[in-house]
Amino acid sequence: MINLPIFPIVIPALAAVILMFAPKQVRLQRVMALGALLVTFAVSVLLVFTVSQDGILTVNLGNWPAPFGITLVSDMLSALLVTTSTLIVFFIVWFATHYFSDAYESNYVYVAMLFLLVGVNGAFTTGDIFNLFVFFEVFLISSYVLIVLGGKGVQLRESIKYLLVNVIASALFVMAVALLYGVVGTLSLADLAQKIPLVENQNVITVIGVLFVIVFGMKGALVPLHYWLPGSYVVAPTPILAMFGALLTKVGVYSILRTYTLLFDTGSFMQTFLIVLAVLTIVIGMTGAIAYNDVKLIIIYNIMIAVGVILYGIALNTQTSLEGALYYLIHDMLIKAALFMLVGMMIGITGSGQLRDMGGLITRFPLFGWTFFIAALSLAGIPPLSGFFGKLLIVQGGVADGDLFGPLLILLSSLFVLFSVIKIFLYGFWGEERRVYDGPLVPYTNRLIVPTLLLVAVAVAYGFGAEAMHPFITQAIEPLVEPEIYIDAVIKE
Amino acid sequence: MEIFVSIIIGVLTMSAVYMILSKSLLRIIIGTGLLSHAAHLLVLTMGGLKTGAAPVLVDGVTEYTDPLPQALVLTAIVISFGVTAFFLVLAYRAYQELTTDNIEEMKGTESND
């Protein structure tokens, strides 16, 4: 099983290729997409356990030795993220089979979803900077298709903006890779990490590092590169939005984590730069989260808060803060997907995204209401739910680093997060029924709640099982704190 | 030679930024085309523009140009080609649906409700 790291990329790709041939067979599409995702999930769990026993797994594609060929590297970090994203896509596709109409499903929506997972898993697994760009394009092109599918006026309008921003970011990515290649002369991440300290003019490396932060920050919606996020995400249908909110911005965050710890840790300038970006992202996210009464927009701004909190943990770059950032990253992927599904159901039932049109949902849909309540508490980080340990470790890391402003801001942001989601709960579920709920989703609600409830259960279990997760998280952090482990695993002398 | 090409890349990027900031959607797409040209030229330039044979193995030739940037640029070209084709069709559909190509008229938070 030496090729184990390839399977989470190849299995969804193969399934997607096969599904292209039968777009009208909706039942086949559903069964096959879910089956492929289940197999991928099983393989990625196997990958996690193999990595936990044997250490970092590397595959040199085509048997070319490390710096010359493309290497796929599964360390614990990428294995955990691959497992999380596959699990999330599984639940979202399950949700989508009940949510979408048959006509919508027969337009290759599952093919695009599977290819999006291919791109995300590939980006998490690759050990080559240009290959990272290619996998970025794979999931970006899938996301362009998914965001515009349906072809309503608002979708066309917003997808033009989304596309334009990402085309520019991709051009910048190519330019950054070109500059890095011009200075260092290699593309493999491990080889780059080896050779960057030998470069005479370290200022050039800092400039390229900042360029990479700009590129990945555009994908990950860091302030001031976040302007495209609210408008683009709000027009996407619920399952698509859940997928974007859970996966796409997090790939940008992962890329910053990987490049910053491995390549660009060039002293205090980069750290200050990242901390300032993180703090700004948290502040703007907080402002947006309390400003709106549109349920989708509230959760979308919560993405930004989470990205800022994770980035703050990454920027500190200590053992504790990186552990916290990883805990929080996985938690946030799970809970954001669940929250978008829940909020999408609220919109489907009431026929409106505005809180003023909702109310009293809990009398008709008690299970739905309490699921949302648990998800909301989990997002805010109430112990022992899943958001708690990540934030605790990030705050501890910040205090240990002698910074007080950052940890206080993060604690304050939790309050704002709690306020914004409890606002949805109070206005949406408590109170009087504002209208008779006869939205198109009402008959499906019992079936839609099952995948959502399971995803929330996974998030809750992740919180309760934090102790069991701890060895995996620690192992994932090792190559980040000591890049030599990563380099030695890839480049075998 | 590298200095000369770098100036060209700068001019291309400048024109691209100018075009992308304009109001007409078609001009924006032309701008993205110019921007990807600039990026591709930059890849070739940063690989070095030393003289040498084309990277095809021939007996008796010892000096070749760097083949890696050429492979990178080929990949980047097809990707940007695919995205541009998608973008053009998207612009066409948006023109049919929204009956405007003016990006200023594509605002709207009021209909997002």
Side-chain angles (χ1 to χ4, degrees):
Chain A
M1 290 309 273
I2 191 157
N3 290 329
L4 202 56
I6 301 180
F7 286 109
I9 306 170
V10 166
I11 296 169
L14 266 180
V17 169
I18 294 168
L19 286 183
M20 278 179 183
F21 291 101
K24 302 294 171 203
Q25 313 284 327
V26 174
R27 290 186 76 110
L28 176 78
Q29 297 254 330
R30 292 172 182 166
V31 172
M32 186 141 174
L34 284 174
L37 287 167
L38 212 54
V39 174
T40 316
F41 177 65
V43 171
S44 46
V45 170
L46 182 65
L47 181 64
V48 168
F49 282 104
T50 315
V51 172
S52 78
Q53 280 174 0
D54 304 350
I56 299 175
L57 293 184
T58 62
V59 180
N60 290 323
L61 297 178
N63 244 347
W64 294 97
F68 305 114
I70 289 174
T71 318
L72 296 182
V73 187
S74 267
D75 59 353
M76 186 50 90
L77 172 65
S78 78
L80 283 177
L81 291 175
V82 162
T83 312
T84 315
S85 50
T86 310
L87 186 68
I88 288 168
V89 174
F90 173 75
F91 283 120
I92 291 173
V93 168
W94 184 357
F95 186 87
T97 56
H98 297 303
Y99 185 89
F100 286 139
S101 64
D102 280 11
Y104 194 92
E105 284 175 287
S106 59
N107 279 312
Y108 303 96
V109 66
Y110 297 124
V111 175
M113 280 176 154
L114 286 171
F115 271 124
L116 191 133
L117 182 68
V118 171
V120 169
N121 279 354
F124 285 145
T125 313
T126 187
D128 182 284
I129 195 104
F130 193 76
N131 202 226
L132 181 68
F133 164 72
V134 174
F135 277 122
F136 261 78
E137 291 301 313
V138 170
F139 75 69
L140 282 174
I141 292 173
S142 315
S143 74
Y144 304 152
V145 173
L146 286 172
I147 202 170
V148 80
L149 205 62
K152 283 185 289 186
V154 277
Q155 280 178 311
L156 289 164
R157 197 184 65 205
E158 293 303 326
S159 53
I160 285 175
K161 298 168 194 169
Y162 178 70
L163 198 76
L164 181 63
V165 167
N166 280 304
V167 166
I168 294 168
S170 298
L172 284 178
F173 199 164
V174 175
M175 288 178 174
V177 170
L179 293 172
L180 197 59
Y181 180 72
V183 175
V184 189
T186 178
L187 292 169
S188 155
L189 283 175
D191 202 27
L192 278 170
Q194 237 177 1
K195 288 182 178 158
I196 277 178
L198 307 177
V199 174
E200 273 177 35
N201 193 347
Q202 284 294 326
N203 293 335
V204 178
I205 298 295
T206 309
V207 171
I208 296 172
V210 170
L211 193 53
F212 270 106
V213 171
I214 291 171
V215 169
F216 297 139
M218 252 172 172
K219 316 281 183 196
L222 303 180
V223 173
L225 306 165
H226 68 289
Y227 47 85
W228 56 273
L229 178 95
S232 306
Y233 277 21
V234 87
V235 299
T238 300
I240 311 298
L241 175 60
M243 221 158 164
F244 285 13
L247 303 179
L248 294 195
T249 50
K250 307 305 182 298
V251 185
V253 173
Y254 163 82
S255 306
I256 290 178
L257 172 62
R258 186 63 92 190
T259 49
Y260 174 63
T261 53
L262 202 57
L263 309 180
F264 298 121
D265 190 10
T266 51
S268 62
F269 172 74
M270 277 293 272
Q271 186 175 32
T272 319
F273 183 63
L274 284 179
I275 287 180
V276 169
L277 284 188
V279 165
L280 283 176
T281 310
I282 296 174
V283 170
I284 299 290
M286 275 160 45
T287 320
I290 58 165
Y292 287 96
N293 280 317
D294 183 311
V295 285
K296 273 188 185 177
L297 277 173
I298 292 174
I299 310 293
I300 287 170
Y301 277 98
N302 272 309
I303 297 180
M304 284 175 59
I305 301 179
V307 165
V309 169
I310 298 167
L311 189 72
Y312 180 76
I314 294 170
L316 289 177
N317 203 5
T318 60
Q319 172 89 26
T320 324
S321 75
L322 284 175
E323 272 181 29
L326 182 54
Y327 256 119
Y328 202 73
L329 182 59
I330 294 174
H331 143 79
D332 193 62
M333 288 167 83
L334 293 168
I335 205 73
K336 282 286 148 51
L339 272 171
F340 277 122
M341 284 147 86
L342 288 162
V343 159
M345 284 172 67
M346 289 176 81
I347 296 174
I349 292 167
T350 58
S352 163
Q354 297 295 330
L355 281 175
R356 62 171 178 269
D357 298 329
M358 300 176 180
L361 276 168
I362 202 143
T363 47
R364 290 273 303 273
F365 308 99
L367 182 63
F368 176 32
W370 292 115
T371 311
F372 184 90
F373 184 65
I374 292 170
L377 292 188
S378 184
L379 180 73
I382 308 287
L385 295 167
S386 59
F388 174 68
F389 295 97
K391 254 180 204 165
L392 178 71
L393 289 171
I394 292 175
V395 167
Q396 276 181 348
V399 173
D401 206 51
D403 187 10
L404 272 181
F405 177 69
L408 280 177
L409 184 71
I410 287 174
L411 294 177
L412 187 68
S413 80
S414 301
L415 210 60
F416 278 67
V417 169
L418 187 64
F419 174 72
S420 66
V421 281
I422 288 299
K423 186 169 78 177
I424 299 181
F425 185 69
L426 286 183
Y427 284 96
F429 290 94
W430 272 175
E432 307 251 322
E433 282 195 25
R434 304 285 169 86
R435 58 167 79 171
V436 181
Y437 295 133
D438 52 358
L441 286 186
V442 170
Y444 291 101
T445 309
N446 286 334
R447 276 184 270 170
L448 286 172
I449 195 75
V450 179
T452 318
L453 187 63
L454 286 175
L455 190 53
V456 174
V458 170
V460 170
Y462 177 70
F464 277 96
E467 199 62 45
M469 283 297 291
H470 195 255
F472 295 104
I473 302 281
T474 317
Q475 196 192 351
I477 296 309
E478 276 171 10
L480 300 179
V481 182
E482 283 180 60
E484 289 76 23
I485 300 175
Y486 186 92
I487 297 168
D488 290 343
V490 176
I491 300 174
K492 301 174 185 85
E493 298 298 334
Chain B
M1 189 63 187
E2 274 91 347
I3 303 263
F4 179 64
V5 181
S6 302
I7 292 169
I8 292 179
I9 294 168
V11 172
L12 275 173
T13 314
M14 186 182 73
S15 333
V17 171
Y18 178 73
M19 292 296 255
I20 287 172
L21 291 177
S22 62
K23 285 182 185 175
S24 158
L25 191 50
L26 265 183
R27 288 168 73 97
I28 290 174
I29 299 178
I30 293 171
T32 61
L34 288 174
L35 189 64
S36 47
H37 282 325
H40 301 157
L41 266 179
L42 185 69
V43 176
L44 287 180
T45 315
M46 291 309 286
L49 296 172
K50 311 284 182 297
T51 46
V56 180
L57 273 181
V58 181
D59 280 340
V61 180
T62 49
E63 290 277 305
Y64 292 101
T65 49
D66 190 350
L68 192 60
Q70 304 190 10
L72 301 187
V73 99
L74 196 61
T75 314
I77 286 171
V78 289
I79 289 175
S80 72
F81 185 62
V83 174
T84 308
F86 186 85
F87 204 170
L88 282 167
V89 176
L90 186 67
Y92 177 63
R93 281 286 291 125
Y95 181 70
Q96 282 182 326
E97 197 80 19
L98 308 167
T99 63
T100 176
D101 78 327
N102 188 343
I103 202 85
E104 294 269 300
E105 289 170 20
M106 293 189 192
K107 284 181 191 163
T109 42
E110 73 288 335
S111 53
N112 279 345
D113 294 5

